[in-house]
Amino acid sequence: MQFYIETLGCQMNVLDSELAASALIGSGLTPASDKFDADVILFNTCSIRRHAEDKVFSALGRLKTWKDKKPYSVLGVIGCMAQKEQKNIFQRVPFVDLVLGPGSLDTLAAAVHQLLDEKVSGSRQAKKIAVSLDRKVNRHNDLIESYRLFNPERTVKETGTIKDIKAPKHASLVRIMFGCNQFCSYCIVPYVRGPEQSRPPGEIIAEVQSLVRQGVSKITFIGQTVNSYIYQDGGKTAKLADLLYEASNIAGLEQLDFVTGYPKGVDDALLQAVRDLPAVLKHFHIPAQSGSDSVLRRMNRHYTAAEYRELTDRIYSAIPGSSLTSDFIVGFCGETDAEFEATVDLVKYCRFRNSFVFKYSVREGTKSAELYADDVPETVKKYRNNWLLEVQKTAGTDDGACQSCRNRYN
Ligand code: 5AD
Ligand code: SF4
């Protein structure tokens, strides 16, 4: 039996697809080189903006013929949309068999095999759904139990390049933390990826060692807010800087970087580690989102534009030759021309190597959807988006060298 995984969204999903593929290969399935040859097609989905969800629903719709030709097949939706939409997915696309959230990936292989077996034996009764608890109504400990971390051995590296999985042999993503506790008012992530959980440092370092043994020389540590990584064990506390020092000692590891940063809690120890460790890229991706204090307040970001500027000053002066990239949301609820101008000023000031600009998209279940009207017209959002990209081009320092910047979002 062959499987194919279509990956949308950020690097979290790119990594989840690699891990899911490793688990499926371990369970006896083989990767298909063509999507339509597959017996199992999984969409690893993103729900950060509405556009990402619309894309999935239309792509699923286009699989009707494939499904009709292979009635025993399994069509699954995994990732953030699975957690957010849950049973709605079955209602909108009745021939989907499996909905499985990011906190339930450990059950993916078993669920897929059960569905395949049931269909072959003619006993497939129902669709399968595996999602985590609702963050709005459940207690912390119960939530943590329902968002299980999933870190199987990466067999994809040994299998070689799989067409649908972005897992080059020499570079790897390694998750250092899962979930998010920031609750930016516009963002669905804390509700679909659950509470922040930092992985034990020993486990992370062992994973890096294992990858380096498999021929990997470049590692990117990933997490929703990597600079809030913290792991306490007995009297010892490990932070991101400690991970960088430890990983840097691994012979054969040539390059190390980390995404995504949060503008608060960038401590001097981290700056020193980035400055002093030759393998660590002198680069930070720290989304500012806006340059207007009033917008930042409505976004629940807990810092001012002046504090963000100070952070960039601090990084540039502590680490010679360092570079920064950022994300911005334009057309956030109530954003006035003056508020947008403040963002333009910030981009001019910060000399980002690159900025990723997004038009605000209402996400049901978030605070901003509840509290504010999505009142900036689409044409204005588009105009501001293009304008900010132009400002970035003129004021920015992109030399075209950074592939990871280009690949960050798709
Ligand atoms: N609308 C538009 N952009 C969003 N982002 C997060 N949520 C939304 C939303 N509701 C952007 C932020 C974040 C990036 C990954 O996506 O800029 O940093
Ligand atoms: Fe979303 Fe904010 Fe968490 Fe980033 S820090 S994932 S924008 S809630």
Side-chain angles (χ1 to χ4, degrees):
M1 291 281 178
Q2 298 184 38
F3 72 89
Y4 191 95
I5 306 180
E6 182 114 16
T7 310
L8 293 113
C10 68
Q11 298 196 18
M12 294 289 162
N13 276 6
V14 172
L15 174 58
D16 281 343
S17 288
E18 186 182 339
L19 299 175
S22 295
L24 294 175
I25 292 168
S27 77
L29 299 185
T30 47
S33 47
D34 185 276
K35 177 156 84 178
F36 297 102
D37 289 342
D39 310 288
V40 177
I41 298 182
L42 302 173
F43 276 82
N44 192 2
T45 58
C46 170
S47 49
I48 202 116
R49 283 168 289 275
R50 180 159 175 199
H51 176 66
E53 293 187 342
D54 291 345
K55 255 170 52 180
V56 171
F57 279 122
S58 35
L60 287 170
R62 286 196 296 274
L63 287 175
K64 179 87 175 72
T65 323
W66 167 81
K67 189 73 184 154
D68 287 343
K69 269 195 207 142
K70 296 188 172 200
Y72 65 88
S73 64
V74 172
L75 178 59
V77 176
I78 63 174
C80 296
M81 240 177 102
Q83 180 63 33
K84 177 169 168 280
E85 293 298 315
Q86 306 194 359
K87 284 187 183 146
N88 291 342
I89 295 173
F90 296 135
Q91 263 150 32
R92 283 190 59 174
V93 190
F95 51 93
V96 167
D97 306 287
L98 173 67
V99 167
L100 190 136
S104 304
L105 272 181
D106 56 333
T107 63
L108 176 71
V112 164
H113 281 280
Q114 204 179 340
L115 283 164
L116 285 170
D117 293 347
E118 282 171 5
K119 199 69 189 182
V120 169
S121 66
S123 66
R124 191 190 290 181
Q125 304 282 322
K127 298 171 179 301
K128 287 212 173 314
I129 180 160
V131 288
S132 303
L133 295 175
D134 182 344
R135 193 163 189 184
K136 288 199 167 142
V137 294
N138 288 278
R139 293 197 342 250
H140 184 76
N141 287 353
D142 298 335
L143 282 165
I144 295 282
E145 268 178 39
S146 80
Y147 279 95
R148 294 178 302 276
L149 304 188
F150 176 62
N151 301 292
E153 200 55 28
R154 310 276 182 100
T155 45
V156 168
K157 298 275 173 216
E158 288 148 23
T159 316
T161 307
I162 297 178
K163 202 165 155 261
D164 51 329
I165 306 291
K166 291 179 199 155
K169 281 208 161 232
H170 67 291
S172 252
L173 303 170
V174 169
R175 176 169 289 129
I176 62 168
M177 60 198 300
F178 190 90
C180 184
N181 287 347
Q182 291 298 333
F183 290 101
C184 302
S185 66
Y186 51 80
C187 187
I188 196 70
V189 168
Y191 306 100
V192 291
R193 289 206 167 248
E196 199 175 290
Q197 302 182 60
S198 291
R199 289 177 69 197
E203 202 180 293
I204 295 167
I205 297 301
E207 188 172 339
V208 175
Q209 283 166 332
S210 154
L211 288 164
V212 170
R213 276 197 300 275
Q214 293 177 49
V216 170
S217 57
K218 296 182 180 181
I219 295 277
T220 300
F221 283 152
I222 64 168
Q224 251 33 87
T225 56
V226 279
N227 48 312
S228 46
Y229 173 87
I230 183 158
Y231 193 86
Q232 279 155 325
D233 187 16
K236 277 186 50 206
T237 301
K239 300 197 71 186
L240 176 58
D242 303 304
L243 291 181
L244 295 177
Y245 281 108
E246 261 206 73
S248 288
N249 281 332
I250 298 171
L253 183 62
E254 290 163 16
Q255 186 185 296
L256 191 55
D257 66 345
F258 48 86
V259 282
T260 296
Y262 189 78
K264 289 191 78 163
V266 177
D267 56 23
D268 288 343
L270 178 60
L271 298 190
Q272 265 174 37
V274 174
R275 185 194 61 197
D276 295 343
L277 294 168
V280 178
L281 288 185
K282 313 293 173 240
H283 178 75
F284 295 79
H285 178 65
I286 306 184
Q289 310 298 0
S290 169
S292 151
D293 288 345
S294 38
V295 172
L296 287 169
R297 254 195 316 276
R298 295 202 291 282
M299 287 179 164
N300 195 32
R301 290 286 289 181
H302 303 288
Y303 55 85
T304 63
E307 284 167 341
Y308 188 90
R309 280 186 168 83
E310 281 159 25
L311 170 67
T312 63
D313 293 344
R314 198 153 68 86
I315 292 173
Y316 286 138
S317 66
I319 309 167
S322 55
S323 62
L324 288 167
T325 48
S326 181
D327 294 347
F328 288 95
I329 297 178
V330 294
F332 184 66
C333 313
E335 186 187 64
T336 62
D337 284 343
E339 287 171 331
F340 173 67
E341 283 292 344
T343 300
V344 169
D345 289 346
L346 186 80
V347 171
K348 284 181 181 161
Y349 181 89
C350 291
R351 292 173 285 126
F352 295 115
R353 189 163 68 193
N354 206 348
S355 288
F356 300 88
V357 183
F358 306 102
K359 290 176 287 171
Y360 172 62
S361 169
V362 193
R363 304 287 61 210
E364 203 188 311
T366 60
K367 273 281 166 227
S368 66
E370 193 185 304
L371 295 176
Y372 313 116
D374 176 22
D375 53 1
V376 176
E378 183 59 27
T379 47
V380 176
K381 285 182 183 171
K382 219 177 242 170
Y383 181 73
R384 288 180 185 168
N385 191 333
N386 292 338
W387 187 354
L388 200 59
L389 286 173
E390 276 307 309
V391 173
Q392 167 58 39
K393 238 194 245 165
T394 324
T397 57
D398 186 8
D399 55 6
C402 180
Q403 275 310 311
S404 77
C405 285
R406 247 155 276 289
N407 294 339
R408 185 148 294 134
Y409 302 108
N410 50 16

